[in-house]
Amino acid sequence: MRKRPEFESERERVQAGEIRFAIVGCGHIAGKHLEAIQQAEGAALAALCDPNLTRVSALAESWNVPAYAGMAEMLDREPDIDAVCICTPSGLHAELAIAAARAGKHLVIEKPLALCAEEAESIGEAAAAAGVKATVVHPNRYRPAIRHLKEALDRKMFGKLSHVNATVRWNRSQAYYDQAAWRGTVAMDGGVLMNQGIHSLDLLLWLFGPVAEVRSWVDTRIRNMEAEDTAIAALKFANGTLGVVEACTTVYEHNLEESLAVFGENGYVLIGGRTANWIKAWNCVKMPDEEIGRIMAEVEADPYGVPGHERIIADMVEAIRTGREPAVTLEEGARAVRLAWDIVRNGR
């Protein structure tokens, strides 16, 4: 790890961009946060926290930082922590985020922000009252293909849109759900929409605006779990655009595809692959062939770009340093939660 520079004052440290992060929850997703903190300029790892002492101690030793079983003790004993990454099961996000905010710590919260609208709103209220910055991890916004699509939509290149389509046709085996008692539960994990499909819902809201009407069907068709493993929804956006969402974890026996399709009066775009990183089709009468060719060549050469988690950590460093809001706001995270909840509630 990089050696931490020394500063004469806390203000000097923050202005210089030395923002110290702690990670709460050291399961699989914590690895992406560790890598992002290591790579992002101005970020440093200060501590790790997980009730599984064997796991957190081994990880902390490899990263040369202290380990804690509880967040309260960590924040009490490590006062130089600036921001906390919440990487626990989703059902714990609200409790931990609110406690960290009240302790004066900025927040990076894994998706979904919470498992219901009320908890999401409580996190927002706590962050606002404490005056801390907070963001939600929606890294798919930073995929090169998605960034190019966003730019084209902002330029109105496709004109009036007729409809859009988002699919998540993935596999999560029964063994995946059986590996931990909280997986697939309504209280701690949610189903395919809150867990896997939440990124697609965030993209739909970010790209096309708020949803005015939802009609849906959700069910637990194949997996032995409490929440849904399959969801189908028809959406009507506030601007009149129609949308379809299809999400499942029941595809046999590997992930098949994740896609986003956009259809307008001037053309269409299909972004797909096993993950929605590749441009499968781009046809737009308002864009020169040379521009379309350049976009497709850039994405083909580097479909992943800078990892989204790294972009989110770097954005939080800059937000804390300058006082601006993070690029992905709590309200945007809450909108995705509300849409997922509306689909489930209307579809049962």
Side-chain angles (χ1 to χ4, degrees):
M1 288 188 61
R2 301 186 302 266
K3 182 179 179 181
R4 297 178 183 174
E6 299 296 328
F7 299 99
E8 294 184 0
S9 70
E10 185 74 4
R11 181 178 180 183
E12 179 185 343
R13 177 175 66 79
V14 171
Q15 288 179 335
E18 178 69 8
I19 306 301
R20 295 173 182 167
F21 290 81
I23 296 176
V24 178
C26 293
H28 168 74
I29 201 64
K32 293 191 176 183
H33 288 254
L34 286 166
E35 293 172 5
I37 292 166
Q38 183 182 42
Q39 294 299 322
E41 186 66 31
L45 183 66
L48 295 171
C49 174
D50 193 289
N52 185 328
L53 278 174
T54 300
R55 176 168 61 187
V56 71
S57 296
L59 195 59
E61 181 177 358
S62 67
W63 286 85
N64 193 29
V65 295
Y68 295 92
M71 189 180 74
E73 180 188 9
M74 179 185 73
L75 296 181
D76 182 60
R77 297 183 62 178
E78 304 289 340
D80 66 345
I81 290 171
D82 299 299
V84 174
C85 298
I86 306 294
C87 300
T88 63
S90 303
L92 300 175
H93 287 184
E95 176 186 351
L96 292 167
I98 290 169
R102 289 174 176 169
K105 309 304 178 184
H106 304 289
L107 304 170
V108 178
I109 306 169
E110 260 298 333
K111 60 80 184 172
L113 173 58
L115 288 178
C116 67
E118 292 77 14
E119 287 187 347
E121 291 167 4
S122 295
I123 296 171
E125 291 168 359
V132 299
K133 306 296 180 186
T135 191
V136 187
V137 180
H138 282 299
N140 293 16
R141 294 188 185 193
Y142 293 101
R143 291 173 173 176
I146 298 297
R147 302 300 285 191
H148 282 298
L149 175 59
K150 172 66 170 171
E151 181 184 357
L153 289 169
D154 288 345
R155 292 164 56 198
K156 311 295 185 184
M157 289 292 98
F158 299 100
K160 184 178 181 179
L161 302 181
S162 60
H163 65 292
V164 299
N165 185 294
T167 65
V168 180
R169 294 166 175 162
W170 281 357
N171 171 276
R172 293 295 183 270
S173 67
Q174 190 60 48
Y176 168 87
Y177 292 107
D178 291 344
Q179 66 182 300
W182 59 270
R183 287 198 178 276
T185 63
V186 172
M188 294 299 291
D189 191 26
V192 63
L193 288 170
M194 284 293 188
N195 198 333
Q196 290 79 25
I198 196 75
H199 291 306
S200 294
L201 299 185
D202 171 69
L203 288 181
L204 289 175
L205 293 165
W206 184 54
L207 294 170
F208 309 111
V211 170
E213 187 175 353
V214 173
R215 298 183 183 182
S216 57
W217 297 263
V218 303
D219 205 349
T220 310
R221 296 291 301 160
I222 295 177
R223 303 298 175 227
N224 181 21
M225 57 189 283
E226 183 181 18
E228 82 285 347
D229 63 14
T230 306
I232 307 291
L235 312 177
K236 186 171 186 179
F237 292 84
N239 61 15
T241 302
L242 303 180
V244 176
V245 174
E246 176 194 337
C248 72
T249 54
T250 59
V251 173
Y252 179 84
E253 60 184 322
H254 304 289
N255 289 355
L256 175 63
E257 65 175 328
E258 176 189 23
S259 67
L260 179 64
V262 182
F263 300 92
E265 60 183 333
N266 297 329
Y268 57 84
V269 171
L270 173 61
I271 298 173
R274 284 198 174 182
T275 56
N277 286 89
W278 288 268
I279 298 175
K280 297 297 185 178
W282 188 303
N283 183 12
C284 181
V285 70
K286 295 294 184 179
M287 299 177 70
D289 290 343
E290 294 79 7
E291 181 180 4
I292 296 173
R294 175 184 57 79
I295 290 172
M296 296 187 71
E298 286 182 5
V299 172
E300 185 66 26
D302 185 14
Y304 297 103
V306 177
H309 281 74
E310 184 179 332
R311 298 285 294 268
I312 287 167
I313 294 295
D315 177 73
M316 177 56 83
V317 169
E318 187 68 14
I320 295 171
R321 190 192 309 172
T322 63
R324 66 164 172 79
E325 286 302 300
V328 183
T329 67
L330 283 186
E331 175 52 33
E332 289 176 314
R335 284 196 308 172
V337 170
R338 286 195 292 269
L339 179 54
W341 182 246
D342 283 347
I343 293 173
V344 172
R345 180 183 59 189
N346 282 278
R348 281 292 188 185

